[in-house]
Amino acid sequence: MTQPRALIIAGPTASGKSALALELAERFGGTVINADAMQCYRELRIVTARPPPEDEARAPHALYGVLPAAETGSVAWWREAALAEMAKARLPILCGGTGMYLRALTQGLSILPEVPAGAREEARARLADLGPERLHATLHPEDAAKLRPSDSQRLARALEVFLATGQSLTAWQREAPRLPPAPYDFRAILLTPPREQLHPAIITRWGLMRAQGALREVGALVEQGLDASLPAMRAHGVPELAAEWRGEISAAEADRRAIAGTWTYTRRQATWFRHQELVAPTAMHRINARIAGLAQFSERISPEIFAFLQSDG
């Protein structure tokens, strides 16, 4: 039986994914489904560059702003929610830069054990006490070899699995049963803009976030008194604006740190996507240009994407 088609639009931060997804959703009657881990959080519209209400009104959008910042999203949660939205869509358009989410659809997902609340709380307490780099040094060697010392969320996840089961997270991922790839004919468009275009784009976007009220948005989040280890509290720009809100650093220093941190992450994202095969090579289309807006998309890229989506390859 022929599988329904689904489209992935992936790439690094500030590469133009949302603009392209919106244009394609309007042209093909699609639904834009969020595949960015931070755009899931309700309180973070501005600082995560979620599509504005006027864009959401032009085409159906799903899984944007659906989780409170006090909760922790997961790959398994997102996969289940995405599949539910895909089933309702004429053409699902998965848009985002969280590669692990996209791989969970196209390549399947290991079924990991349920972690008791006590193990989760102990892992978060150790993270808060030791900090990510010192916590990294205490992990099972298999997990330590795979995880960056700065990736506090995944460090805590690895520790809580080990505390709950006595096995490394890596061993569970290797040996656990897997959910199969989603039953769709996936096509992927990967935006790979030149790095010299990305850095100015990040600076420009940060300025727009400032003007739109990013500091007030993060200040409201700070006033909730949430655990600093929660994913929403570590979204790009949030720690820096939170420090500014508390009077610990100047606005200029917050800008400098946030832009530098986003740029470092964006380079890692671009490298990851270059070396990953989300789908078969014949189902992947790469665009080596930044899509600055819908006019540029329509004039320069529309014909080749239209042909790619209509092809049977």
Side-chain angles (χ1 to χ4, degrees):
M1 185 174 67
T2 303
Q3 292 182 326
R5 183 160 293 181
L7 176 62
I8 291 171
I9 299 177
T13 296
S15 58
K17 297 184 295 293
S18 295
L20 176 55
L22 177 60
E23 176 74 4
L24 292 177
E26 288 188 308
R27 291 197 175 203
F28 292 99
T31 297
V32 182
I33 300 172
N34 173 41
D36 182 288
M38 294 302 147
Q39 290 185 343
C40 290
Y41 291 108
R42 188 174 304 149
E43 294 92 334
L44 297 181
R45 176 181 287 277
I46 297 171
V47 80
T48 63
R50 256 170 47 202
E54 55 268 29
D55 285 358
E56 293 182 330
R58 289 170 53 185
H61 285 65
L63 300 187
Y64 290 92
V66 294
L67 284 180
E71 294 186 12
T72 298
S74 68
V75 178
W77 164 80
W78 180 85
R79 176 187 151 109
E80 182 177 355
L83 286 171
E85 296 295 341
M86 292 170 73
K88 298 183 289 186
R90 176 181 173 186
L91 173 66
I93 302 175
L94 298 136
C95 176
T98 303
M100 291 181 65
Y101 281 14
L102 296 170
R103 282 183 58 183
L105 282 181
T106 65
Q107 299 179 16
L109 180 67
S110 297
I111 303 174
L112 298 179
E114 290 290 330
V115 174
R120 184 174 297 108
E121 291 167 4
E122 182 176 348
R124 300 292 169 181
R126 288 194 196 179
L127 174 62
D129 181 47
L130 297 175
E133 291 193 4
R134 290 172 61 197
L135 181 65
H136 181 270
T138 71
L139 292 181
H140 188 285
E142 280 193 320
D143 291 336
K146 290 187 63 175
L147 298 174
R148 296 191 308 274
S150 60
D151 195 341
S152 55
Q153 181 180 359
R154 293 194 176 96
L155 297 177
R157 175 61 172 159
L159 178 58
E160 69 186 32
V161 169
F162 182 79
L163 291 173
T165 68
Q167 291 190 61
S168 68
L169 176 59
T170 302
W172 275 99
Q173 291 171 334
R174 183 173 59 243
E175 300 166 8
R178 291 181 63 83
L179 295 171
Y184 284 83
D185 173 16
F186 284 102
R187 300 296 178 91
I189 297 173
L190 177 60
L191 303 181
T192 59
R195 288 188 175 184
E196 63 269 18
Q197 292 183 9
L198 274 177
H199 194 258
I202 290 168
I203 295 172
T204 298
R205 190 167 80 163
W206 182 256
L208 288 173
M209 290 175 180
R210 274 280 190 193
Q212 291 167 354
L215 180 61
R216 291 191 302 274
E217 180 177 82
V218 173
L221 195 63
V222 170
E223 297 305 318
Q224 291 188 41
L226 300 177
D227 187 332
S229 68
L230 285 166
M233 298 302 295
R234 294 181 292 101
H236 295 297
V238 169
E240 295 81 9
L241 290 175
E244 179 186 347
W245 181 264
R246 293 189 296 262
E248 298 167 359
I249 61 175
S250 67
E253 179 62 12
D255 291 346
R256 185 192 69 79
R257 293 184 189 181
I259 291 169
T262 303
W263 174 230
T264 298
Y265 172 73
T266 299
R267 294 201 310 272
R268 287 202 306 265
Q269 258 187 317
T271 299
W272 191 92
F273 279 116
R274 278 200 305 272
H275 292 92
Q276 295 291 322
E277 288 191 3
L278 292 173
V279 295
T282 55
M284 174 74 76
H285 183 71
R286 296 174 185 267
I287 299 176
N288 187 31
R290 181 172 179 271
I291 299 174
L294 297 183
Q296 181 184 358
F297 165 76
S298 298
E299 293 171 5
R300 295 181 51 194
I301 300 176
S302 177
E304 64 184 81
I305 290 181
F306 185 84
F308 169 69
L309 292 178
Q310 297 297 106
S311 70
D312 295 325

